[in-house]
Amino acid sequence: MSQNRRDFLKSTALATGAAMIINDSYKSVAGIIPADLKTGSMKLSYHPYTLELNHVFTIATNSRTTTPVMLAEIEMNGIFGYGEASLPPYLGESHKTVQEFLSKIDLSKYENPFDLETILNDIDNIEPGHTAAKASVDIALHDLIGKLMGQPWFNIWGYNKNKAPNTSFTIGIDTPEVVRQKTKEAEQYKILKVKLGRKTDKEMVETIRSVTNKPLTGDVNQGWNDKEKTLEMLHWLKEQNMVMIEQPLPKEQIDDLAWLTERSPIPIIGDEGVQRLADIKKAAGVYHGINIKLMKCTGMREAHKMLLLARSLEMKVMIGCMTETSCAISAASHLSPMVDWADLDGALLIKNDFFEGTKINNGKITLMDRPGIGAVKL
Ligand code: MG
């Protein structure tokens, strides 16, 4: 900034009394923190847990009945922040890798839990990868900070929780009989997500259409490979009232994806192809939009930055999840008022949720008026 500009801003601020307003706002922020609260030493702890799924879950690349997760806690002066790492096996993290990674983190050296940028950058720099492990700490730290401030994150970020959208509900690949059954069970959901990427794709969609006319989203999980056939299929899917499609081609087929994005009758959303903030600039033009997931981008801090960057590039935004408890789902839900599509059904797919938090009421994402991420232990 030039000297002239600085002087101009300084004199303008003084003239309008802005300097005084800034001082007052500092006082009011300080006032939220209880007077007796000593920002003390933070302690990280974690324990492994296994989620049991309601149905065998099949996507284009695998099937499973359980998902390992790691539940994390950060304690400071008797206040607990909760976090979670979800570890679907095909993504490469496990109880063992998360334990090893988290054992390298020493939160006791930080005096100020509000210094998120320093703390989370330090953790990110320990080693590349380990994105779910990093997310577990990020979420727990956000929860702790929200509790210290006495505010939910949708308030801290400035989002209206009543604008949270309907979530889609995922119908996995299965026999027509099971698909019909799952579609009937999904009666409360206004939008259904169909897993595609096998020879039975048209049959899957037609089976769902034999039960309901609700709008559909599709997720191919990189299961197709021919761009011309994919385009033909997308036209057919549009006629079936499919409103968007995730990752139709392998993420490496960048030119084919860009070709498709130019021609597709419905938005193409990058999921496997867009992991973190740094991937977004390259994704503009290749996809119409991105699917943000806390577990692949290291948590709420980076997810929020991704949302803002994608919006500034006029891209569509979807928020998604893995199979997760209501802890990580609640954390993600604070961004949902700002997205085009939300797929936050992860906690609905499990039998043994460990938390109570953001709920799905009549298909709509319903955030709690509670400080932090709004999840409490059951
Ligand atoms: Mg996906």
Side-chain angles (χ1 to χ4, degrees):
M1 200 188 293
S2 72
Q3 188 62 42
N4 282 347
R5 175 136 175 85
R6 260 200 302 272
D7 286 342
F8 171 76
L9 288 176
K10 203 169 147 194
S11 62
T12 312
L14 288 172
T16 57
M20 199 177 281
I21 292 166
I22 289 167
N23 283 339
D24 281 346
S25 75
Y26 274 124
K27 275 182 208 153
S28 72
V29 168
I32 294 169
I33 301 170
D36 58 349
L37 177 76
K38 297 181 189 81
T39 50
S41 176
M42 288 182 283
K43 217 165 64 194
L44 173 67
S45 58
Y46 37 90
H47 65 274
Y49 190 64
T50 300
L51 304 181
E52 293 160 28
L53 311 187
N54 291 327
H55 290 285
V56 178
F57 194 69
T58 303
I59 62 171
T61 44
N62 72 91
S63 293
R64 62 181 200 275
T65 54
T66 61
T67 300
V69 299
M70 187 72 74
L71 302 175
E73 280 181 13
I74 299 175
E75 187 263 341
M76 200 192 84
N77 293 337
I79 300 175
F80 287 86
Y82 299 120
E84 175 180 8
S86 174
L87 312 164
Y90 65 95
L91 293 177
E93 286 180 86
S94 63
H95 282 153
K96 187 166 175 281
T97 66
V98 175
Q99 257 157 343
E100 279 169 7
F101 183 82
L102 295 183
S103 73
K104 295 175 186 167
I105 296 171
D106 175 17
L107 292 181
S108 68
K109 65 182 175 188
Y110 301 103
E111 286 173 4
N112 179 7
F114 293 87
D115 191 5
L116 278 172
E117 289 293 335
T118 303
I119 300 170
L120 296 176
N121 282 337
D122 286 353
I123 291 172
D124 198 17
N125 289 331
I126 291 174
E127 225 176 284
H130 300 279
T131 54
K134 290 169 184 175
S136 73
V137 184
D138 166 287
I139 295 168
L141 198 51
H142 277 78
D143 194 31
L144 179 70
I145 286 170
K147 285 169 177 168
L148 292 172
M149 294 175 79
Q151 291 294 333
W153 272 92
F154 60 80
N155 274 350
I156 296 169
W157 278 329
Y159 301 147
N160 181 346
K161 79 177 171 67
N162 299 323
K163 291 188 177 168
N166 291 316
T167 182
S168 56
F169 182 81
T170 300
I171 309 288
I173 295 170
D174 220 311
T175 61
E177 197 180 312
V178 176
V179 168
R180 258 194 298 276
Q181 181 59 30
K182 286 183 185 171
T183 306
K184 282 176 191 160
E185 283 172 23
E187 201 185 7
Q188 70 152 310
Y189 304 100
K190 310 284 184 288
I191 181 160
L192 299 177
K193 172 166 164 171
V194 193
K195 289 289 189 178
L196 301 170
R198 293 198 171 179
K199 284 186 183 130
T200 51
D201 286 343
K202 283 196 174 176
E203 190 185 349
M204 269 289 290
V205 173
E206 280 164 352
T207 305
I208 292 170
R209 279 287 166 258
S210 72
V211 180
T212 176
N213 291 318
K214 286 173 190 172
L216 303 176
T217 66
D219 191 355
V220 186
N221 292 111
Q222 317 185 76
W224 299 337
N225 49 48
D226 182 296
K227 66 179 181 185
E228 310 267 0
K229 276 188 198 157
T230 298
L231 184 59
E232 216 171 284
M233 184 68 172
L234 292 178
H235 280 285
W236 183 81
L237 288 168
K238 185 181 165 64
E239 283 168 26
Q240 305 298 315
N241 194 18
M242 185 159 281
V243 295
M244 63 91 149
I245 193 121
E246 277 178 65
Q247 205 67 53
L249 302 174
K251 61 184 178 184
E252 294 80 14
Q253 287 178 228
I254 291 169
D255 292 343
D256 291 343
L257 282 159
W259 182 91
L260 208 53
T261 289
E262 231 172 81
R263 293 163 179 80
S264 173
I266 58 174
I268 311 274
I269 306 299
D271 183 1
E272 288 85 345
V274 185
Q275 308 277 324
R276 298 195 58 175
L277 183 64
D279 299 325
I280 295 184
K281 280 190 181 166
K282 287 174 277 175
V286 177
Y287 303 99
H288 293 106
I290 59 167
N291 185 352
I292 300 173
K293 291 176 181 162
L294 301 189
M295 295 304 144
K296 61 178 186 177
C297 77
T298 72
M300 295 169 74
R301 191 82 182 152
E302 188 151 321
H304 190 223
K305 292 178 183 180
M306 290 175 78
L307 169 79
L308 299 178
L309 178 58
R311 283 294 181 221
S312 77
L313 295 168
E314 295 181 0
M315 295 178 81
K316 300 270 186 201
V317 176
M318 162 182 187
I319 188 141
C321 63
M322 310 293 176
T323 314
E324 297 165 359
T325 72
S326 290
C327 176
I329 294 295
S330 297
S333 70
H334 290 265
L335 290 167
S336 71
M338 299 298 287
V339 304
D340 297 288
W341 301 284
D343 179 34
L344 294 181
D345 64 352
L348 305 166
L349 309 174
I350 58 175
K351 291 177 193 166
N352 55 341
D353 201 347
F354 203 77
F355 288 88
E356 184 255 306
T358 292
K359 291 185 176 49
I360 310 301
N361 285 331
N362 217 4
K364 185 178 155 65
I365 297 168
T366 311
L367 285 87
M368 299 291 113
D369 271 309
R370 292 178 190 149
I373 61 169
V376 293
K377 257 187 185 174
L378 286 171

